[in-house]
Amino acid sequence: MIARLVGTLVDKRPGRVVLEVSGVGYELAVPLSTYYEVGDVGSRVTLHVQTYVRQDVLALFGFLTGLEKDLFNRLLGVNGVGPRTAVAALSGLGPADLVAAIRQRDIRRLASVPGIGRRTAERVLVELADRLEEFPGPDGEGPPGAGSAGVREDLVSALVNLGYNARVAQEATSRVLRSAAESPPVFETLLRRTLKSLSK
């Protein structure tokens, strides 16, 4: 599974980019939030990658930040939301405004995004409204002790590598980050706390 790519941007169009890595060109679907910030053709780029495999479908989705990738995966966890819908949500509002709309249960704003619709928006709000505490909002601030998206991603990755289920790892990490007092939080300390909480 491809999790990250570092290479040269050789093509860029709304919704997709092509990244050349060691002579191989990888085509990735990207939200507009990544498209606008990824740089110009010829730039050296690092993208967080989600490999999506379903029956006869193999697709790569690229994100400039771990926050975008994490939010994309949260959206995929909602019943009836596929990768195209998740990308549409990130493209239509941007990560911070999308988090704000979900937290505030702003169904009108969410349903206004092309490709979402009211029924899908309702499902997203029901399943995610109370589960995005660690994500920063439009002001760039998360809840006290939430830490950076990078620390959260590293914690979840470490737990998955240790054999924990991804969903369990995400939930345990969220609980520990909400109660963390360090600023910035120390990864090793948070990992020990998360492992301790999982052993109870």
Side-chain angles (χ1 to χ4, degrees):
M1 178 180 293
I2 300 172
R4 190 177 77 143
L5 288 172
V6 181
T8 302
L9 187 66
V10 295
D11 192 20
K12 171 185 175 183
R13 301 176 188 178
R16 66 177 283 275
V17 299
V18 177
L19 202 63
E20 183 175 312
V21 182
S22 301
V24 179
Y26 293 88
E27 182 174 342
L28 303 100
V30 297
L32 292 180
S33 52
T34 288
Y35 169 78
Y36 290 130
E37 299 294 334
V38 75
D40 298 324
V41 170
S43 301
R44 187 75 172 170
V45 175
T46 298
L47 289 179
H48 299 269
V49 178
Q50 180 63 45
T51 305
Y52 185 83
V53 181
R54 289 291 185 278
Q55 296 178 346
D56 59 344
V57 176
L58 172 60
L60 299 177
F61 293 84
F63 309 92
L64 201 58
T65 67
L67 170 65
E68 290 173 309
K69 180 181 175 181
D70 201 5
L71 192 50
F72 173 82
N73 283 318
R74 290 293 186 93
L75 289 166
L76 285 185
V78 176
N79 184 36
V81 174
R84 289 181 183 275
T85 302
V87 168
L90 284 165
S91 297
L93 293 177
D97 288 335
L98 176 59
V99 169
I102 294 172
R103 281 181 181 161
Q104 297 162 9
R105 294 177 168 81
D106 190 343
I107 191 168
R108 178 178 296 182
R109 189 176 185 194
L110 193 57
S112 70
V113 176
I116 301 297
R118 187 174 184 87
R119 185 169 297 178
T120 300
E122 288 173 348
R123 285 198 296 266
V124 169
L125 296 184
V126 167
E127 297 191 32
L128 295 183
D130 297 321
R131 299 181 58 192
L132 300 181
E133 299 92 343
E134 72 277 12
F135 287 86
D139 57 2
E141 297 180 358
S148 68
V151 170
R152 183 185 191 284
E153 183 179 355
D154 289 345
L155 282 170
V156 172
S157 177
L159 292 170
V160 170
N161 288 337
L162 289 171
Y164 288 96
N165 175 275
R167 189 183 186 96
V168 170
Q170 289 171 353
E171 291 174 352
T173 298
S174 297
R175 287 195 303 271
V176 169
L177 285 175
R178 283 198 295 270
S179 63
E182 292 87 353
S183 182
V186 179
F187 173 79
E188 291 79 5
T189 301
L190 293 175
L191 180 58
R192 284 196 297 270
R193 290 180 186 174
T194 308
L195 289 169
K196 185 177 180 180
S197 74
L198 286 168
S199 67
K200 292 181 178 178

